[in-house]
mmCIF file of all heavy atoms in Angstrom:
data_model
loop_
_atom_site.group_PDB
_atom_site.id
_atom_site.type_symbol
_atom_site.label_atom_id
_atom_site.label_comp_id
_atom_site.label_asym_id
_atom_site.label_seq_id
_atom_site.Cartn_x
_atom_site.Cartn_y
_atom_site.Cartn_z
ATOM 1 N N PRO A 1 0.820 -1.215 0.000
ATOM 2 C CA PRO A 1 0.000 0.000 0.000
ATOM 3 C C PRO A 1 0.855 1.265 0.000
ATOM 4 O O PRO A 1 0.549 2.236 -0.705
ATOM 5 C CB PRO A 1 -0.806 -0.126 1.306
ATOM 6 C CG PRO A 1 -0.888 -1.594 1.567
ATOM 7 C CD PRO A 1 0.436 -2.133 1.090
ATOM 8 N N GLN A 2 1.950 1.266 0.772
ATOM 9 C CA GLN A 2 2.732 2.480 0.973
ATOM 10 C C GLN A 2 3.567 2.866 -0.255
ATOM 11 O O GLN A 2 3.824 4.047 -0.474
ATOM 12 C CB GLN A 2 3.632 2.354 2.215
ATOM 13 C CG GLN A 2 4.746 1.316 2.118
ATOM 14 C CD GLN A 2 4.335 -0.083 2.520
ATOM 15 O OE1 GLN A 2 3.253 -0.527 2.194
ATOM 16 N NE2 GLN A 2 5.213 -0.780 3.240
ATOM 17 N N TYR A 3 3.992 1.906 -1.047
ATOM 18 C CA TYR A 3 4.740 2.220 -2.262
ATOM 19 C C TYR A 3 3.804 2.527 -3.437
ATOM 20 O O TYR A 3 4.123 3.352 -4.303
ATOM 21 C CB TYR A 3 5.605 1.036 -2.701
ATOM 22 C CG TYR A 3 6.914 0.834 -1.998
ATOM 23 C CD1 TYR A 3 7.067 -0.192 -1.063
ATOM 24 C CD2 TYR A 3 8.023 1.612 -2.287
ATOM 25 C CE1 TYR A 3 8.277 -0.427 -0.431
ATOM 26 C CE2 TYR A 3 9.243 1.390 -1.669
ATOM 27 C CZ TYR A 3 9.369 0.371 -0.739
ATOM 28 O OH TYR A 3 10.567 0.145 -0.121
ATOM 29 N N ASP A 4 2.680 1.822 -3.503
ATOM 30 C CA ASP A 4 1.883 1.782 -4.725
ATOM 31 C C ASP A 4 0.412 2.116 -4.569
ATOM 32 O O ASP A 4 -0.101 3.007 -5.246
ATOM 33 C CB ASP A 4 1.964 0.361 -5.328
ATOM 34 C CG ASP A 4 3.286 0.032 -5.948
ATOM 35 O OD1 ASP A 4 4.236 -0.259 -5.206
ATOM 36 O OD2 ASP A 4 3.372 0.045 -7.184
ATOM 37 N N LEU A 5 -0.287 1.320 -3.765
ATOM 38 C CA LEU A 5 -1.742 1.297 -3.819
ATOM 39 C C LEU A 5 -2.395 2.601 -3.382
ATOM 40 O O LEU A 5 -3.405 3.015 -3.954
ATOM 41 C CB LEU A 5 -2.272 0.126 -2.983
ATOM 42 C CG LEU A 5 -1.763 -1.261 -3.410
ATOM 43 C CD1 LEU A 5 -2.321 -2.332 -2.481
ATOM 44 C CD2 LEU A 5 -2.123 -1.558 -4.866
ATOM 45 N N GLU A 6 -1.840 3.253 -2.367
ATOM 46 C CA GLU A 6 -2.433 4.502 -1.880
ATOM 47 C C GLU A 6 -2.420 5.575 -2.966
ATOM 48 O O GLU A 6 -3.430 6.234 -3.228
ATOM 49 C CB GLU A 6 -1.688 4.972 -0.629
ATOM 50 C CG GLU A 6 -1.871 4.047 0.566
ATOM 51 C CD GLU A 6 -0.939 4.366 1.719
ATOM 52 O OE1 GLU A 6 -0.120 5.297 1.575
ATOM 53 O OE2 GLU A 6 -1.024 3.690 2.757
ATOM 54 N N THR A 7 -1.261 5.733 -3.617
ATOM 55 C CA THR A 7 -1.154 6.747 -4.680
ATOM 56 C C THR A 7 -1.990 6.369 -5.887
ATOM 57 O O THR A 7 -2.687 7.207 -6.459
ATOM 58 C CB THR A 7 0.312 6.933 -5.101
ATOM 59 O OG1 THR A 7 1.101 7.257 -3.966
ATOM 60 C CG2 THR A 7 0.437 8.038 -6.130
ATOM 61 N N ALA A 8 -1.925 5.100 -6.290
ATOM 62 C CA ALA A 8 -2.670 4.666 -7.471
ATOM 63 C C ALA A 8 -4.168 4.894 -7.288
ATOM 64 O O ALA A 8 -4.838 5.425 -8.188
ATOM 65 C CB ALA A 8 -2.387 3.195 -7.752
ATOM 66 N N ARG A 9 -4.701 4.520 -6.137
ATOM 67 C CA ARG A 9 -6.136 4.701 -5.900
ATOM 68 C C ARG A 9 -6.516 6.180 -5.917
ATOM 69 O O ARG A 9 -7.569 6.552 -6.447
ATOM 70 C CB ARG A 9 -6.540 4.053 -4.580
ATOM 71 C CG ARG A 9 -8.009 4.255 -4.226
ATOM 72 C CD ARG A 9 -8.403 3.474 -2.989
ATOM 73 N NE ARG A 9 -8.561 2.053 -3.270
ATOM 74 C CZ ARG A 9 -8.881 1.141 -2.350
ATOM 75 N NH1 ARG A 9 -9.039 1.506 -1.075
ATOM 76 N NH2 ARG A 9 -9.024 -0.125 -2.679
ATOM 77 N N ALA A 10 -5.654 7.022 -5.351
ATOM 78 C CA ALA A 10 -5.923 8.461 -5.326
ATOM 79 C C ALA A 10 -6.007 9.044 -6.734
ATOM 80 O O ALA A 10 -6.674 10.063 -6.952
ATOM 81 C CB ALA A 10 -4.851 9.175 -4.517
ATOM 82 N N LEU A 11 -5.355 8.390 -7.688
ATOM 83 C CA LEU A 11 -5.367 8.852 -9.082
ATOM 84 C C LEU A 11 -6.515 8.253 -9.881
ATOM 85 O O LEU A 11 -6.644 8.535 -11.080
ATOM 86 C CB LEU A 11 -4.036 8.506 -9.749
ATOM 87 C CG LEU A 11 -2.814 9.270 -9.247
ATOM 88 C CD1 LEU A 11 -1.543 8.682 -9.823
ATOM 89 C CD2 LEU A 11 -2.923 10.747 -9.600
ATOM 90 N N GLY A 12 -7.324 7.417 -9.237
ATOM 91 C CA GLY A 12 -8.450 6.806 -9.928
ATOM 92 C C GLY A 12 -8.165 5.447 -10.527
ATOM 93 O O GLY A 12 -8.997 4.896 -11.255
ATOM 94 N N VAL A 13 -7.002 4.889 -10.235
ATOM 95 C CA VAL A 13 -6.644 3.564 -10.719
ATOM 96 C C VAL A 13 -7.333 2.511 -9.846
ATOM 97 O O VAL A 13 -7.386 2.640 -8.622
ATOM 98 C CB VAL A 13 -5.116 3.354 -10.668
ATOM 99 C CG1 VAL A 13 -4.735 1.967 -11.176
ATOM 100 C CG2 VAL A 13 -4.404 4.441 -11.466
ATOM 101 N N LYS A 14 -7.865 1.469 -10.465
ATOM 102 C CA LYS A 14 -8.383 0.339 -9.701
ATOM 103 C C LYS A 14 -7.191 -0.386 -9.075
ATOM 104 O O LYS A 14 -6.150 -0.540 -9.723
ATOM 105 C CB LYS A 14 -9.175 -0.599 -10.601
ATOM 106 C CG LYS A 14 -10.360 0.064 -11.289
ATOM 107 C CD LYS A 14 -10.976 -0.858 -12.322
ATOM 108 C CE LYS A 14 -12.065 -0.155 -13.116
ATOM 109 N NZ LYS A 14 -11.502 0.909 -14.006
ATOM 110 N N THR A 15 -7.323 -0.827 -7.842
ATOM 111 C CA THR A 15 -6.187 -1.437 -7.157
ATOM 112 C C THR A 15 -6.548 -2.785 -6.559
ATOM 113 O O THR A 15 -7.688 -3.007 -6.131
ATOM 114 C CB THR A 15 -5.666 -0.532 -6.026
ATOM 115 O OG1 THR A 15 -6.723 -0.304 -5.080
ATOM 116 C CG2 THR A 15 -5.165 0.798 -6.556
ATOM 117 N N VAL A 16 -5.553 -3.672 -6.529
ATOM 118 C CA VAL A 16 -5.682 -4.968 -5.871
ATOM 119 C C VAL A 16 -4.412 -5.214 -5.068
ATOM 120 O O VAL A 16 -3.298 -5.046 -5.578
ATOM 121 C CB VAL A 16 -5.884 -6.120 -6.877
ATOM 122 C CG1 VAL A 16 -5.870 -7.473 -6.163
ATOM 123 C CG2 VAL A 16 -7.202 -5.950 -7.637
ATOM 124 N N HIS A 17 -4.600 -5.599 -3.826
ATOM 125 C CA HIS A 17 -3.480 -5.933 -2.955
ATOM 126 C C HIS A 17 -3.176 -7.420 -3.055
ATOM 127 O O HIS A 17 -4.070 -8.254 -2.888
ATOM 128 C CB HIS A 17 -3.848 -5.571 -1.504
ATOM 129 C CG HIS A 17 -2.847 -6.027 -0.494
ATOM 130 N ND1 HIS A 17 -3.174 -6.831 0.581
ATOM 131 C CD2 HIS A 17 -1.513 -5.804 -0.389
ATOM 132 C CE1 HIS A 17 -2.109 -7.060 1.311
ATOM 133 N NE2 HIS A 17 -1.087 -6.455 0.729
ATOM 134 N N LEU A 18 -1.929 -7.743 -3.346
ATOM 135 C CA LEU A 18 -1.461 -9.127 -3.319
ATOM 136 C C LEU A 18 -0.788 -9.342 -1.972
ATOM 137 O O LEU A 18 0.261 -8.760 -1.694
ATOM 138 C CB LEU A 18 -0.490 -9.386 -4.467
ATOM 139 C CG LEU A 18 0.126 -10.788 -4.548
ATOM 140 C CD1 LEU A 18 -0.943 -11.863 -4.598
ATOM 141 C CD2 LEU A 18 1.043 -10.892 -5.759
ATOM 142 N N ASN A 19 -1.379 -10.156 -1.136
ATOM 143 C CA ASN A 19 -0.939 -10.274 0.255
ATOM 144 C C ASN A 19 0.310 -11.145 0.390
ATOM 145 O O ASN A 19 0.223 -12.353 0.570
ATOM 146 C CB ASN A 19 -2.075 -10.830 1.113
ATOM 147 C CG ASN A 19 -1.738 -10.819 2.592
ATOM 148 O OD1 ASN A 19 -0.753 -10.214 3.014
ATOM 149 N ND2 ASN A 19 -2.546 -11.490 3.388
ATOM 150 N N ARG A 20 1.452 -10.498 0.316
ATOM 151 C CA ARG A 20 2.727 -11.186 0.545
ATOM 152 C C ARG A 20 3.236 -10.959 1.979
ATOM 153 O O ARG A 20 3.912 -11.820 2.536
ATOM 154 C CB ARG A 20 3.807 -10.655 -0.408
ATOM 155 C CG ARG A 20 3.503 -10.749 -1.886
ATOM 156 C CD ARG A 20 3.681 -12.131 -2.435
ATOM 157 N NE ARG A 20 3.696 -12.125 -3.899
ATOM 158 C CZ ARG A 20 3.323 -13.160 -4.639
ATOM 159 N NH1 ARG A 20 2.899 -14.282 -4.068
ATOM 160 N NH2 ARG A 20 3.365 -13.083 -5.962
ATOM 161 N N TYR A 21 2.899 -9.808 2.573
ATOM 162 C CA TYR A 21 3.537 -9.410 3.835
ATOM 163 C C TYR A 21 2.563 -9.013 4.934
ATOM 164 O O TYR A 21 2.980 -8.475 5.956
ATOM 165 C CB TYR A 21 4.510 -8.248 3.568
ATOM 166 C CG TYR A 21 5.510 -8.562 2.479
ATOM 167 C CD1 TYR A 21 5.466 -7.887 1.257
ATOM 168 C CD2 TYR A 21 6.468 -9.552 2.650
ATOM 169 C CE1 TYR A 21 6.366 -8.183 0.242
ATOM 170 C CE2 TYR A 21 7.374 -9.857 1.637
ATOM 171 C CZ TYR A 21 7.315 -9.171 0.439
ATOM 172 O OH TYR A 21 8.198 -9.471 -0.558
ATOM 173 N N GLY A 22 1.268 -9.256 4.733
ATOM 174 C CA GLY A 22 0.314 -9.023 5.806
ATOM 175 C C GLY A 22 -0.252 -7.626 5.914
ATOM 176 O O GLY A 22 -0.919 -7.314 6.908
ATOM 177 N N TYR A 23 -0.021 -6.768 4.909
ATOM 178 C CA TYR A 23 -0.615 -5.438 4.940
ATOM 179 C C TYR A 23 -2.122 -5.536 4.711
ATOM 180 O O TYR A 23 -2.623 -6.511 4.151
ATOM 181 C CB TYR A 23 0.009 -4.536 3.868
ATOM 182 C CG TYR A 23 1.471 -4.259 4.069
ATOM 183 C CD1 TYR A 23 2.422 -4.698 3.146
ATOM 184 C CD2 TYR A 23 1.919 -3.549 5.173
ATOM 185 C CE1 TYR A 23 3.774 -4.438 3.323
ATOM 186 C CE2 TYR A 23 3.267 -3.277 5.357
ATOM 187 C CZ TYR A 23 4.189 -3.739 4.438
ATOM 188 O OH TYR A 23 5.518 -3.481 4.619
ATOM 189 N N LYS A 24 -2.851 -4.520 5.137
ATOM 190 C CA LYS A 24 -4.293 -4.500 5.007
ATOM 191 C C LYS A 24 -4.722 -3.598 3.849
ATOM 192 O O LYS A 24 -4.318 -2.439 3.775
ATOM 193 C CB LYS A 24 -4.942 -4.002 6.314
ATOM 194 C CG LYS A 24 -4.605 -4.858 7.528
ATOM 195 C CD LYS A 24 -5.079 -6.293 7.358
ATOM 196 C CE LYS A 24 -4.754 -7.130 8.592
ATOM 197 N NZ LYS A 24 -5.151 -8.545 8.400
ATOM 198 N N TRP A 25 -5.545 -4.122 2.958
ATOM 199 C CA TRP A 25 -6.078 -3.374 1.826
ATOM 200 C C TRP A 25 -7.228 -4.176 1.230
ATOM 201 O O TRP A 25 -7.215 -5.405 1.296
ATOM 202 C CB TRP A 25 -4.991 -3.172 0.771
ATOM 203 C CG TRP A 25 -5.339 -2.189 -0.308
ATOM 204 C CD1 TRP A 25 -5.902 -2.459 -1.533
ATOM 205 C CD2 TRP A 25 -5.166 -0.772 -0.259
ATOM 206 N NE1 TRP A 25 -6.059 -1.310 -2.245
ATOM 207 C CE2 TRP A 25 -5.628 -0.249 -1.483
ATOM 208 C CE3 TRP A 25 -4.669 0.107 0.699
ATOM 209 C CZ2 TRP A 25 -5.605 1.102 -1.778
ATOM 210 C CZ3 TRP A 25 -4.639 1.452 0.419
ATOM 211 C CH2 TRP A 25 -5.098 1.945 -0.815
ATOM 212 N N GLU A 26 -8.180 -3.501 0.675
ATOM 213 C CA GLU A 26 -9.282 -4.178 -0.003
ATOM 214 C C GLU A 26 -9.463 -3.616 -1.405
ATOM 215 O O GLU A 26 -9.410 -2.399 -1.570
ATOM 216 C CB GLU A 26 -10.585 -4.022 0.790
ATOM 217 C CG GLU A 26 -10.600 -4.754 2.121
ATOM 218 C CD GLU A 26 -10.527 -6.251 1.980
ATOM 219 O OE1 GLU A 26 -10.936 -6.771 0.897
ATOM 220 O OE2 GLU A 26 -10.060 -6.927 2.919
ATOM 221 N N PRO A 27 -9.657 -4.495 -2.388
ATOM 222 C CA PRO A 27 -9.660 -5.949 -2.283
ATOM 223 C C PRO A 27 -8.247 -6.511 -2.159
ATOM 224 O O PRO A 27 -7.276 -5.879 -2.571
ATOM 225 C CB PRO A 27 -10.307 -6.394 -3.592
ATOM 226 C CG PRO A 27 -9.942 -5.315 -4.565
ATOM 227 C CD PRO A 27 -9.943 -4.034 -3.772
ATOM 228 N N SER A 28 -8.172 -7.727 -1.613
ATOM 229 C CA SER A 28 -6.885 -8.376 -1.395
ATOM 230 C C SER A 28 -6.971 -9.835 -1.834
ATOM 231 O O SER A 28 -8.012 -10.483 -1.657
ATOM 232 C CB SER A 28 -6.502 -8.297 0.090
ATOM 233 O OG SER A 28 -5.227 -8.858 0.326
ATOM 234 N N ILE A 29 -5.889 -10.314 -2.416
ATOM 235 C CA ILE A 29 -5.806 -11.716 -2.825
ATOM 236 C C ILE A 29 -4.540 -12.322 -2.247
ATOM 237 O O ILE A 29 -3.603 -11.613 -1.882
ATOM 238 C CB ILE A 29 -5.807 -11.867 -4.365
ATOM 239 C CG1 ILE A 29 -4.658 -11.065 -4.995
ATOM 240 C CG2 ILE A 29 -7.153 -11.446 -4.943
ATOM 241 C CD1 ILE A 29 -4.547 -11.222 -6.511
ATOM 242 N N ASN A 30 -4.512 -13.642 -2.148
ATOM 243 C CA ASN A 30 -3.354 -14.338 -1.585
ATOM 244 C C ASN A 30 -2.482 -15.000 -2.643
ATOM 245 O O ASN A 30 -1.403 -15.497 -2.333
ATOM 246 C CB ASN A 30 -3.819 -15.398 -0.574
ATOM 247 C CG ASN A 30 -4.451 -14.781 0.648
ATOM 248 O OD1 ASN A 30 -3.908 -13.852 1.229
ATOM 249 N ND2 ASN A 30 -5.620 -15.283 1.029
ATOM 250 N N SER A 31 -2.966 -15.021 -3.875
ATOM 251 C CA SER A 31 -2.215 -15.613 -4.979
ATOM 252 C C SER A 31 -2.589 -14.900 -6.265
ATOM 253 O O SER A 31 -3.750 -14.481 -6.448
ATOM 254 C CB SER A 31 -2.543 -17.101 -5.114
ATOM 255 O OG SER A 31 -2.095 -17.607 -6.364
ATOM 256 N N LEU A 32 -1.632 -14.764 -7.167
ATOM 257 C CA LEU A 32 -1.922 -14.134 -8.454
ATOM 258 C C LEU A 32 -2.928 -14.930 -9.273
ATOM 259 O O LEU A 32 -3.577 -14.388 -10.170
ATOM 260 C CB LEU A 32 -0.634 -13.957 -9.261
ATOM 261 C CG LEU A 32 0.147 -12.666 -9.050
ATOM 262 C CD1 LEU A 32 1.319 -12.594 -10.000
ATOM 263 C CD2 LEU A 32 -0.739 -11.445 -9.214
ATOM 264 N N GLU A 33 -3.060 -16.208 -8.971
ATOM 265 C CA GLU A 33 -4.035 -17.018 -9.693
ATOM 266 C C GLU A 33 -5.470 -16.607 -9.362
ATOM 267 O O GLU A 33 -6.401 -17.000 -10.068
ATOM 268 C CB GLU A 33 -3.814 -18.493 -9.399
ATOM 269 C CG GLU A 33 -2.544 -19.041 -10.033
ATOM 270 C CD GLU A 33 -2.471 -20.549 -9.981
ATOM 271 O OE1 GLU A 33 -2.038 -21.078 -8.929
ATOM 272 O OE2 GLU A 33 -2.866 -21.198 -10.974
ATOM 273 N N GLU A 34 -5.652 -15.825 -8.301
ATOM 274 C CA GLU A 34 -6.976 -15.312 -7.954
ATOM 275 C C GLU A 34 -7.321 -14.035 -8.722
ATOM 276 O O GLU A 34 -8.478 -13.602 -8.716
ATOM 277 C CB GLU A 34 -7.043 -15.019 -6.450
ATOM 278 C CG GLU A 34 -6.813 -16.218 -5.547
ATOM 279 C CD GLU A 34 -6.695 -15.815 -4.090
ATOM 280 O OE1 GLU A 34 -7.386 -14.866 -3.672
ATOM 281 O OE2 GLU A 34 -5.895 -16.433 -3.372
ATOM 282 N N LEU A 35 -6.341 -13.435 -9.382
ATOM 283 C CA LEU A 35 -6.563 -12.138 -10.029
ATOM 284 C C LEU A 35 -7.538 -12.187 -11.201
ATOM 285 O O LEU A 35 -8.351 -11.260 -11.355
ATOM 286 C CB LEU A 35 -5.224 -11.537 -10.467
ATOM 287 C CG LEU A 35 -5.278 -10.098 -10.977
ATOM 288 C CD1 LEU A 35 -5.844 -9.154 -9.913
ATOM 289 C CD2 LEU A 35 -3.873 -9.637 -11.393
ATOM 290 N N PRO A 36 -7.514 -13.207 -12.064
ATOM 291 C CA PRO A 36 -8.479 -13.220 -13.168
ATOM 292 C C PRO A 36 -9.928 -13.086 -12.708
ATOM 293 O O PRO A 36 -10.733 -12.417 -13.367
ATOM 294 C CB PRO A 36 -8.222 -14.571 -13.839
ATOM 295 C CG PRO A 36 -6.772 -14.823 -13.598
ATOM 296 C CD PRO A 36 -6.541 -14.306 -12.192
ATOM 297 N N ALA A 37 -10.286 -13.682 -11.574
ATOM 298 C CA ALA A 37 -11.651 -13.571 -11.069
ATOM 299 C C ALA A 37 -11.979 -12.134 -10.677
ATOM 300 O O ALA A 37 -13.110 -11.666 -10.893
ATOM 301 C CB ALA A 37 -11.844 -14.501 -9.870
ATOM 302 N N ILE A 38 -10.977 -11.426 -10.121
ATOM 303 C CA ILE A 38 -11.172 -10.015 -9.777
ATOM 304 C C ILE A 38 -11.413 -9.200 -11.045
ATOM 305 O O ILE A 38 -12.309 -8.345 -11.102
ATOM 306 C CB ILE A 38 -9.948 -9.453 -9.020
ATOM 307 C CG1 ILE A 38 -9.746 -10.191 -7.688
ATOM 308 C CG2 ILE A 38 -10.077 -7.953 -8.821
ATOM 309 C CD1 ILE A 38 -10.711 -9.813 -6.616
ATOM 310 N N VAL A 39 -10.625 -9.461 -12.066
ATOM 311 C CA VAL A 39 -10.782 -8.738 -13.324
ATOM 312 C C VAL A 39 -12.152 -8.996 -13.918
ATOM 313 O O VAL A 39 -12.835 -8.074 -14.385
ATOM 314 C CB VAL A 39 -9.678 -9.138 -14.329
ATOM 315 C CG1 VAL A 39 -9.911 -8.475 -15.693
ATOM 316 C CG2 VAL A 39 -8.298 -8.748 -13.792
ATOM 317 N N ARG A 40 -12.597 -10.233 -13.900
ATOM 318 C CA ARG A 40 -13.913 -10.568 -14.446
ATOM 319 C C ARG A 40 -15.025 -9.866 -13.678
ATOM 320 O O ARG A 40 -16.024 -9.427 -14.274
ATOM 321 C CB ARG A 40 -14.131 -12.083 -14.416
ATOM 322 C CG ARG A 40 -13.247 -12.869 -15.374
ATOM 323 C CD ARG A 40 -13.644 -14.328 -15.447
ATOM 324 N NE ARG A 40 -12.643 -15.110 -16.158
ATOM 325 C CZ ARG A 40 -11.705 -15.851 -15.555
ATOM 326 N NH1 ARG A 40 -11.668 -15.910 -14.227
ATOM 327 N NH2 ARG A 40 -10.824 -16.521 -16.261
ATOM 328 N N SER A 41 -14.862 -9.747 -12.364
ATOM 329 C CA SER A 41 -15.890 -9.088 -11.551
ATOM 330 C C SER A 41 -15.983 -7.586 -11.883
ATOM 331 O O SER A 41 -17.046 -6.984 -11.770
ATOM 332 C CB SER A 41 -15.610 -9.277 -10.059
ATOM 333 O OG SER A 41 -14.490 -8.507 -9.638
#
């Protein structure tokens, strides 16, 4: 979130957190294989 997601969201970019280190953000996934479902939604 601190390097990427906060700034990206503020600019209107859709964001997804990939949970590698336990940070909190929504939406969040635990594996990149879950990302296609997010895109479809």
Side-chain angles (χ1 to χ4, degrees):
Q2 66 273 40
Y3 280 105
D4 288 77
L5 302 178
E6 293 169 358
T7 304
R9 177 174 284 179
L11 291 171
V13 180
K14 301 171 186 69
T15 59
V16 174
H17 173 236
L18 178 56
N19 187 11
R20 303 283 194 207
Y21 306 112
Y23 296 116
K24 301 299 181 183
W25 192 266
E26 292 295 335
S28 183
I29 57 177
N30 293 313
S31 165
L32 271 185
E33 289 192 276
E34 299 172 35
L35 188 59
I38 298 285
V39 175
R40 292 188 191 99
S41 72

